[in-house]
Amino acid sequence: MSERPEVPVGYLGSQPKFAELNLQTITHDSPEFSVDNNGELEIKFKAPKAVKVTTNLINTKTDKEVSEYVFTQTKDKELHFVLVFPEAAYYKFQIFALEASDESKSLPNVYNYLINVKDAIKAAYPFPKQYAQWKDGCYLYSPLVLNAKTSLAKVEFKVYVPNAKALAIVAAGEWFHLTKKGENWEGTAALSKHRGKDVKVTLNANYGGDETKYATLLEYII
């Protein structure tokens, strides 16, 4: 049983900038809560203004930052934070945000949670690394997790990337182009031969102009 860490007065919940950005909690109104296990947890905020966001997840038992276990995405003026937890412990989940148009490099803290994860029954795997352009309103339906232990024979990708003209998955120089279906991009990639070789699998977008130029949005390691 983890011991609850001391937190400063005023640390939990919304900070001054939260109201200024018109942010609102959708799913977790209480800044301190418990979960029975370390399965996937999704926290949602309403974000009427376009904002840029970063997060920090800290295991208070080890005081270690484990932010690779947080995946951030935006859709329909909502911020979605998907979290998994590597072990049973108390976690501080810190959210930082600023208006997208603000040039400032430093994002103020807008909300803090304290989450008590009571049991760790599942193996927790890091989410893909997110590059800057991913945060421009992109949304990943699948796969949220891809690594040497997941099925790689026929990986199905489904993703929403506003303003993209073409999307491709690239693994060790091999390209798998996705197809536009409605507002989303979909396709499959056969990746079994790369299992366990620490190969980077990237999701890349072309935004028009030069057809050969693709920006990396996400990066998995298999």
Side-chain angles (χ1 to χ4, degrees):
M1 187 83 178
S2 297
E3 198 173 313
R4 184 188 183 277
E6 289 295 317
V7 292
V9 174
Y11 169 81
L12 288 173
S14 61
Q15 305 303 306
K17 198 78 182 170
F18 188 78
E20 216 178 291
L21 293 170
N22 296 334
L23 295 169
Q24 287 175 281
T25 55
I26 296 175
T27 56
H28 295 75
D29 297 330
S30 171
E32 184 172 352
F33 62 91
S34 297
V35 290
D36 291 332
N37 61 61
N38 65 331
E40 214 171 83
L41 170 73
E42 188 169 34
I43 293 174
K44 295 183 195 175
F45 283 3
K46 260 192 192 139
K49 295 180 182 178
V51 293
K52 47 187 176 183
V53 179
T54 61
T55 62
N56 203 355
L57 184 64
I58 298 162
N59 179 339
T60 66
K61 194 158 80 175
T62 59
D63 217 23
K64 194 178 159 200
E65 191 186 316
V66 286
S67 297
E68 66 272 25
Y69 294 98
V70 182
F71 191 76
T72 305
Q73 41 192 7
T74 47
K75 186 106 185 352
D76 302 330
K77 298 192 173 176
E78 287 181 7
L79 290 169
H80 295 234
F81 306 102
V82 185
L83 296 86
V84 291
F85 305 93
E87 64 173 328
Y90 274 91
Y91 290 83
K92 288 178 181 171
F93 179 46
Q94 304 167 329
I95 300 160
F96 305 83
L98 199 58
E99 282 192 51
S101 56
D102 195 311
E103 294 294 310
S104 174
K105 294 276 182 273
S106 172
L107 274 61
N109 182 209
V110 294
Y111 204 96
N112 296 314
Y113 283 101
L114 184 63
I115 305 166
N116 179 14
V117 180
K118 293 182 177 175
D119 200 0
I121 38 184
K122 292 181 179 171
Y125 298 112
F127 292 113
K129 180 181 175 183
Q130 301 168 63
Y131 285 82
Q133 279 173 282
W134 174 257
K135 300 187 178 178
D136 294 342
C138 301
Y139 194 91
L140 178 67
Y141 292 95
S142 65
L144 273 178
V145 172
L146 187 66
N147 58 45
K149 294 190 169 131
T150 56
S151 172
L152 297 174
K154 196 180 172 189
V155 182
E156 294 191 6
F157 287 85
K158 182 179 177 183
V159 62
Y160 171 75
V161 180
N163 307 317
K165 298 289 182 278
L167 277 190
I169 307 301
V170 182
E174 190 176 6
W175 287 63
F176 302 90
H177 290 275
L178 304 186
T179 306
K180 188 92 184 271
K181 292 188 179 173
E183 64 170 16
N184 301 316
W185 294 82
E186 296 179 37
T188 58
L191 302 170
S192 297
K193 63 186 172 193
H194 303 303
R195 186 187 301 279
K197 293 179 182 171
D198 279 344
V199 166
K200 288 179 181 175
V201 177
T202 55
L203 170 69
N204 309 275
N206 174 274
Y207 291 99
D210 186 341
E211 287 180 13
T212 64
K213 281 198 174 157
Y214 279 75
T216 301
L217 302 180
L218 296 177
E219 179 185 292
Y220 305 86
I221 305 277
I222 57 172

